[in-house]
Amino acid sequence: MSYLGIDVGTTGCKVVAFDEEGKIVALSYREYPLYYPQTGWIELDAEEVYQAVEDSLLEISQKLRHDPPCSLAISSQGEAVVPVGEKGECLARSIVTFDQRGDEFVPFWEEKIGRKRFFELTGTSLSGIGTVNKILWWKKYKQEVFEKARYFLCFEDFIVHRLGVEPAISFSLAGRTMMFEVKKEKWSEEILSLAGIDPARLARPLPSGEVVGEVASSFAQKMGWKEKVIVATGGHDQPCGALGSGVIKPALAMDATGTVECIAPALGELVLSPVMEENNLCCYHHAFPSLYLTMVYNFTGGALLRWFRDNFAQKEKEIAERENCDVYDLILARIPSQPTNIWVLPHFTTTGTPYFDTQSAGVIVGLKLETSREEFIKALLEGVSYEMKFNLELLSQAGVKVERLRAVGGGAKSPAWLQIKADVYGLPVEALSVTEAASLGAALLGRRAKEGIEDFAGLINKLVKVREVYEPDEERNALYEERFEVYKRIYPALKNHIWKGEK
């Protein structure tokens, strides 16, 4: 049997089939465009997203003619929402996470509920990115869309609906909407009442790994599936990635390095302390039963190394293409072993936690005439790592313990970067055998629903293996601790003097 994990991201979707040993037997990927109709507006065409998912499923099905899937679940980007009509049609493009239209509704919630209570209800700090604010925008400016919509669905429940199943959403994805009461595990009557949103227009919230239904026979026929395929609740992509990384106990965290750098620790209990709220640190359901999750992240993340590649590494790009090797291996091949005396503030997009400062910008401090290219490259990686160390300190102040990290994503392929992380954090960083953590997490949730697995932790620990451990070097860690004290002063000193944008 094979188990499907569908990962629906912001710019592309991935469908991966895994066997009973957790090994990939087939993979398909499709991209789709983001749309920017006005400054600050960011949209996806949900029909294009769905078509990409369907095409990927069809490609996988053709590869698995003799081993059809028995279950599937979805790992989804957060916050993005689709207005869906009575016949399942999309009534408007999806407004995605970092679209700024929701910002205007923040004062409304401050007046009606207040930031403290909003955080206590939802486990997320009040901001404009929540799904509820995107729906309020349609209600205020596109009344025909708001009134005609049968459902307002996030991408997990939207895809589930398109598979012919009653819309259902995992607790972990519902926790990203700012409409879900995290303690009571249900839609918040108080928030929905104030927003004027009928809960019947939202998907049914369920724990991750629960049976939702079976793929409709018409869709199964299109895929060539002769046996029933169970549809299960999946989760938000970060909890699914943590699950697929084996991060299923407190003090263990996923460190995902892609376009965004994200550290997500597992928590044994719901932590809603003032320190969490003041620093924009969320707390919501993990995809693993009875656990919770928080996240700290930097939006520049791995994109910083890609920026260097595209602007300053033409030679390495040519060699990589000619010799069919990894361009990043070439870029990082000669970086020095010792810490640099350069500090990079990785705010090349926006800041991420804890500031959410959209007006900040990247800063490089410490350049000299003798600074080498290799030192500069290493400083880019150090800068992202300093920023995440700062976030780890905030987590510690909030009572969230992190003792080990498990690295996934593109950055996990680089031994040099993993060693920098270990040295900067002063913590062991584990490289895994897993390459598609979010898809694996979703597939495991589908398998749990299909097979009624009782020892879910045992299965995950069996399938997710640590390939290598990068231990912090004591001498380098001591040097990084000194440099980190300098790093922490840069943003506070410059935040009123940096402005990202055009005058």
Side-chain angles (χ1 to χ4, degrees):
M1 292 184 289
S2 60
Y3 309 89
L4 295 183
I6 303 172
D7 184 22
V8 182
T10 306
T11 58
C13 70
K14 193 176 292 182
V15 178
V16 187
F18 298 88
D19 64 15
E20 292 183 341
E21 299 302 315
K23 296 178 181 177
I24 295 173
V25 293
L27 183 152
S28 178
Y29 176 73
R30 297 286 191 283
E31 291 186 351
Y32 31 77
L34 283 165
Y35 295 93
Y36 304 88
Q38 293 185 32
T39 301
W41 293 23
I42 312 174
E43 299 177 342
L44 277 172
D45 187 321
E47 292 289 356
E48 292 178 348
V49 174
Y50 172 73
Q51 193 59 55
V53 171
E54 184 177 291
D55 290 347
S56 293
L57 282 168
L58 190 59
E59 181 182 340
I60 290 290
S61 299
Q62 291 170 348
K63 294 177 180 178
L64 298 177
R65 287 298 181 198
H66 303 294
D67 187 21
C70 61
S71 65
L72 64 83
I74 299 157
S75 161
S76 171
Q77 60 176 295
E79 291 89 30
V81 59
V82 187
V84 177
E86 288 285 353
K87 297 180 180 179
E89 73 278 18
C90 299
L91 302 176
R93 284 180 182 160
S94 169
I95 303 176
V96 303
T97 300
F98 298 108
D99 182 289
Q100 295 175 12
R101 277 172 277 183
D103 292 352
E104 73 167 279
F105 301 102
V106 171
F108 170 81
W109 296 114
E110 288 177 327
E111 177 188 346
K112 297 296 183 181
I113 294 181
R115 287 183 173 272
K116 184 175 184 293
R117 175 154 175 75
F118 199 92
F119 179 74
E120 290 171 348
L121 285 171
T122 66
T124 56
S125 296
L126 176 58
S127 73
I129 70 173
T131 306
V132 65
N133 294 321
K134 304 178 192 310
I135 298 173
L136 284 176
W137 186 88
W138 281 316
K139 184 181 180 183
K140 182 175 180 179
Y141 296 104
K142 298 287 183 180
Q143 288 187 357
E144 71 281 5
V145 171
F146 181 81
E147 292 171 3
K148 192 176 179 181
R150 169 64 184 87
Y151 291 113
F152 296 101
L153 303 177
C154 296
F155 274 99
E156 176 192 9
D157 27 322
F158 171 67
I159 300 298
V160 165
H161 188 41
R162 282 295 179 92
L163 295 176
V165 181
E166 179 188 352
I169 186 170
S170 60
F171 286 172
S172 75
L173 186 58
R176 306 304 304 165
T177 66
M178 296 188 186
M179 297 183 284
F180 189 68
E181 200 160 339
V182 68
K183 289 180 181 177
K184 295 184 178 179
E185 298 181 335
K186 66 175 187 177
W187 296 119
S188 169
E189 295 176 7
E190 183 176 356
I191 291 174
L192 292 184
S193 176
L194 288 167
I197 300 170
D198 186 341
R201 303 174 80 183
L202 304 175
R204 178 171 50 121
L206 292 170
S208 295
E210 295 279 320
V211 175
V212 179
E214 297 173 358
V215 171
S217 58
S218 57
F219 188 89
Q221 187 175 5
K222 183 188 293 187
M223 294 294 118
W225 298 340
K226 296 181 181 178
E227 302 295 328
K228 293 180 180 179
V229 178
I230 291 292
V231 178
T233 41
H236 182 222
D237 50 13
Q238 301 297 352
C240 281
L243 182 73
S245 306
V247 176
I248 55 172
K249 62 181 180 180
L252 189 59
M254 174 187 71
D255 186 349
T257 305
T259 303
V260 174
E261 174 86 5
C262 176
I263 293 177
L267 306 175
E269 60 184 2
L270 194 61
V271 180
L272 300 176
S273 65
V275 176
M276 295 283 282
E277 191 267 328
E278 290 162 7
N279 290 290
N280 295 308
L281 305 178
C282 61
C283 190
Y284 64 117
H285 287 80
H286 198 329
F288 187 83
S290 302
L291 289 183
Y292 296 89
L293 195 88
T294 186
M295 294 189 299
V296 291
Y297 42 90
N298 172 253
F299 290 121
T300 298
L304 194 53
L305 196 57
R306 186 173 64 193
W307 165 79
F308 182 88
R309 178 200 69 185
D310 293 343
N311 291 281
F312 306 106
Q314 187 59 39
K315 180 180 178 181
E316 287 88 349
K317 288 167 70 175
E318 291 172 357
I319 294 172
E321 186 174 339
R322 184 171 65 247
E323 299 183 5
N324 194 29
C325 58
D326 191 309
V327 65
Y328 294 113
D329 289 343
L330 297 176
I331 292 171
L332 299 175
R334 293 185 176 86
I335 63 172
S337 60
Q338 291 300 102
T340 72
N341 287 309
I342 305 167
W343 293 266
V344 177
L345 188 67
H347 296 177
F348 283 56
T349 50
T350 185
T351 63
T353 54
Y355 308 115
F356 290 156
D357 182 354
T358 59
Q359 296 303 309
S360 188
V363 174
I364 302 169
V365 177
L367 291 177
K368 296 183 178 180
L369 289 176
E370 60 264 31
T371 298
S372 70
R373 185 173 188 266
E374 289 72 26
E375 286 178 302
F376 181 76
I377 293 169
K378 184 168 186 178
L380 297 177
L381 305 186
E382 289 173 336
V384 175
S385 301
Y386 285 141
E387 186 78 351
M388 299 314 293
K389 179 177 175 62
F390 177 67
N391 276 280
L392 285 169
E393 282 195 348
L394 294 176
L395 286 174
S396 178
Q397 292 169 21
V400 177
K401 186 184 296 186
V402 176
E403 295 176 350
R404 303 181 75 84
L405 298 108
R406 290 191 164 184
V408 296
K413 300 175 184 176
S414 168
W417 198 346
L418 295 184
Q419 189 60 57
I420 290 171
K421 288 173 184 281
D423 291 342
V424 172
Y425 301 157
L427 296 170
V429 177
E430 300 174 345
L432 305 176
S433 57
V434 173
T435 57
E436 301 295 341
S439 299
L440 176 59
L444 288 170
L445 291 167
R447 181 173 179 179
R448 178 174 184 259
K450 167 71 176 177
E451 300 175 4
I453 296 169
E454 293 185 8
D455 185 10
F456 196 34
L459 175 65
I460 293 168
N461 289 330
K462 174 186 174 184
L463 299 184
V464 180
K465 301 296 185 184
V466 175
R467 177 171 49 82
E468 190 170 357
V469 180
Y470 294 81
E471 296 285 353
D473 178 273
E474 290 186 13
E475 180 183 337
R476 290 195 295 265
N477 175 245
L479 293 172
Y480 276 127
E481 289 291 343
E482 294 175 3
R483 286 158 173 75
F484 180 58
E485 292 304 312
V486 176
Y487 177 83
K488 288 193 291 185
R489 297 197 296 268
I490 294 173
Y491 175 74
L494 296 179
K495 66 179 179 180
N496 295 324
H497 307 285
I498 323 173
W499 187 76
K500 185 187 75 175
E502 298 178 358
K503 293 184 178 179

